[in-house]
Amino acid sequence: MNRSILLLRTCYAVSRVLIRERDMSALLQGICDQFVGAGVYRAALLVLLDRTSDGMVTAEAGFGDRTAPIMAALREGKLPPCGARVLKGDPKNVFVCTGETCTLCASTDLQAFSGAFCAPFRCNSKLSGFLLLMLPSGNKPVADESATVAELTGAIAHALRQLFSFEEVKFRERQLEEAEERYELALRASQAGLWDWNIKTGEMYTSPDQWELLDYRAGDAAEGKTRRSIHPEDRERVLTVLNQHLTGVTEEYRIEYRVMEPEGKTSWFLDRGRVMERDENNMPVRMTGTHQDITLHKRQEQALAAVQRQLHEAMDVERNFLQTVIDSAGDPVMVIDLDCTLLLINQAAARLVRGNGGIASLVGRKCHQLFCGADTPCDDPDFPCPVRAVTELRRPTKVLHHSFHGNGIHNTFELEVSPLKDGEGKLYGIIEVARDVTDRLRIEQELRDSQSRLYRLAHHDTLTGLPNRLLFRDRLTQALNKAERNRTKVAVLFLDLDKFKVINDTLGHDVGDDLLIEVAARLQRQCRQSDTVARLGGDEFVFVLEAVNSREDAAVVAEKIMAALTAPVCVNGHELPIAASVGIALYPEDSLELEGMIKCADVALYAAKESGRRKFQFYRRDMTQQGRRPQLDERQFSEVLASDGLRLDYLPQFAVADGRVAGLKACLSWNHPEMGLLQPGDFLPAADECGMLAGVSRWLLVKVGRDLRAWRGLGLDCVPVTVPLASCQLLHPECLPEFERILADTALPAESLVVEVKERPLAQATGWTQELLKRMRGLGLQLGVDGCGIEHCPLPSLRQLRIGRITVPADLLAALADEGGNGDLAAAVIALGHAVGLTVLADGVRHERQLAFLRAHGCDLFQGPLRSPPLTARQTADLLRFSAKGG
């Protein structure tokens, strides 16, 4: 048969399917079956694409085993050219596919077909598709076949649109039916009748099954028959509420009213409605609402109200009985709910309320407002809210309330509070009984205060309030026991005020006592809470430091203590400079026992005083082997200064390079008639203690100035003279003024004097000491350090203070006296001094081997028995004269 005729018959068959079929799956499959069944096409594929959900609906016929690969390729997005055009929103004319450019054909091996028509179509903005028709082998398209396929595809799209519209109408009808059914069910469940009132015509629609509820709205009843009507007392109110809504005053018509039944009974109804339509003049046109019988609900409310009245009457009887009972109690009694509202209160409690108007006026008010004058419940931790206490504990408890009253009487009440529960065991309030315990608490407090005073008198110093010796020993015992358990350290610091005896003797004991009180206050501020500071008596204080990690921790506290005592104390118009010495002992290094710790700290305190005061010393085992200092007093110093009994010699200093005299060192001593020859360290601390240090220092400087002036008068070229200063001299306030006076009186150049200090005071120098040395340097005086390398003086201090000379200690040179002796440390000190631009002086040179070592390492100066012992002033003049002649 002619292919054109077959094509027309197939189009007719497809059209019949489009007209007859209303199920989409059957429609799509029927289209494909008609295309293939007549033999016009070998296979047909129809694809619908949903662009919103990326869904796909397919139907096919004639592909056989190739169906599964085709579906898989479609799910992967491999579409023929017309399908891709549909996805881009551009369905055009029929596309003749030859298999060469088609991804679907290439991936599913459809090139075996002779060719295909691919026709895109669009149903609506969301749904598009395409029709793929495969030609039989050996067949070619006939004339106008492409246009025929295009028209047929358009018909398919139109049929699908009609089908979707039909389905949408059916869906909306089902939704409407379901909504009407739900609404009808809701009305039936609520036992309400629906009414729709056409206000213009007066017609009213009512629910058919609820007509009897609305029959009172109908016309006049039949003759001789009593009809239902609105209760006469409610009619006016119903009309008023209805008119208010019709005129737009209210948004909703809602009212409960009574209806008179034919039998003479009364029913209750609830009407609710709303104007749904108004005309151009804002006049109501249509109103819709519900009409519900609420007679049962009203009767239940009335029954409940009657029961409540009975309960209230019973409760009033019970309340009156309870009120009589609690009024007979002498203590205040209250019943309070969980919101702090008074439920019951007796006369005793009511009398505590300022300006109370009787029990009736108090019930129902908040307890915190009546008794505390507060807007919120009590939140003071000392006087907690009794309601909150019972709520948290769920058991009886006792609390104290200082502000339980409002009548201006400052009494304290003890509140016994019990939980109040209902029949189910649920807490709903408290019962509170108050008892005035003011007198009892006062007596208890007086007893505690008395015991505290007795304890304080026995364990504290009466003058300063600090722990006394008894409490100190107890605290130290506890600290040592705790340290033994915890493997920690304890530090004991003994402190002694310098020159306190002088202040006490010259200004009186009253001034001395006030000074001790101020010192005690300053010392207390340096303590941690776990530490103890005590006064042992006189000007002796002691610290017990617990949990000390190292010697450095104890040193930090000692420095804080000494810094706290640097500022003068003003007492009775006197500005008193104060200072202290501190001795430190550590547990367990120094001793494991209490007495041993006390003894070690005392020995360390003595050593601190020996080294110049105003400093602290740690205990060392060699301290106990040192002898006691001479017992010198002010009288002996006054006598020796008046008689010029002190001795001043000069130790020559030589240049290492050429042996010339390069300087002198002043050597002070005292040939005491009873104690023998005393060196400065033997008598200068005693001079400081008795107030004679300034006189000794002045004698030394005057003697040096006098000798320098005498040598200059003889025409001798004077070399610099080194004046060594002990720590106590350096700390004396007259130190710098004495130098200024000597330079002014003798007219000597300042560079002719070298002020030499020990390395230890420099390493431990306070800000005050550093400032003094800077001011000396500002006068032009040279500065030197004796003993560099022993106490580890920091290099920044040497640079900051502009030290000009350091001394190699004799101990570092002693090893060179023996064969094979090692001088590494001495060489290191020399190199260090030169590295920072300092002159290096070697002390205690006794052997040529030592001098050769110094010469080999470039040392600048030396002094010692190898060249000369200390000389008198006359011998020193001869040496200078001899040196000037080249000797």
Side-chain angles (χ1 to χ4, degrees), residues 516-630:
L516 290 176
I517 293 173
E518 173 60 23
V519 169
R522 294 188 186 184
L523 296 180
Q524 275 187 305
R525 290 194 288 268
Q526 310 309 314
C527 276
R528 299 174 301 179
Q529 190 172 5
S530 59
D531 298 336
T532 298
V533 56
R535 182 189 177 213
L536 303 184
D539 62 335
E540 294 181 343
F541 297 86
V542 61
F543 285 80
V544 178
L545 309 182
E546 297 187 34
V548 176
N549 296 323
S550 62
R551 292 167 63 92
E552 288 73 17
D553 289 349
V556 169
V557 177
E559 289 175 349
K560 289 175 58 180
I561 292 171
M562 300 185 72
L565 299 179
T566 55
V569 177
C570 295
V571 178
N572 294 342
H574 302 283
E575 187 174 295
L576 304 177
I578 56 174
S581 301
V582 179
I584 307 174
L586 292 176
Y587 170 90
E589 289 90 332
D590 299 332
S591 178
L592 298 175
E593 299 177 351
L594 181 143
E595 295 297 338
M597 289 291 292
I598 294 175
K599 182 178 179 181
C600 291
D602 191 35
V603 171
L605 174 62
Y606 167 74
K609 287 181 171 291
E610 285 289 310
S611 63
R613 300 177 179 273
R614 295 177 181 262
K615 60 179 61 179
F616 61 89
Q617 286 280 3
F618 282 93
Y619 171 78
R620 300 192 308 274
R621 296 193 181 278
D622 61 343
M623 286 181 176
T624 57
Q625 302 173 2
Q626 299 175 358
R628 294 195 60 79
R629 67 171 179 257

Side-chain angles (χ1 to χ4, degrees), residues 54-91:
D54 293 332
M56 181 183 298
V57 179
T58 62
E60 60 84 24
F63 285 103
D65 294 340
R66 290 184 175 87
T67 301
I70 290 173
M71 296 301 140
L74 290 174
R75 284 192 294 271
E76 293 175 2
K78 296 177 179 179
L79 304 175
C82 66
R85 187 179 297 128
V86 167
L87 289 181
K88 294 179 181 179
D90 183 29

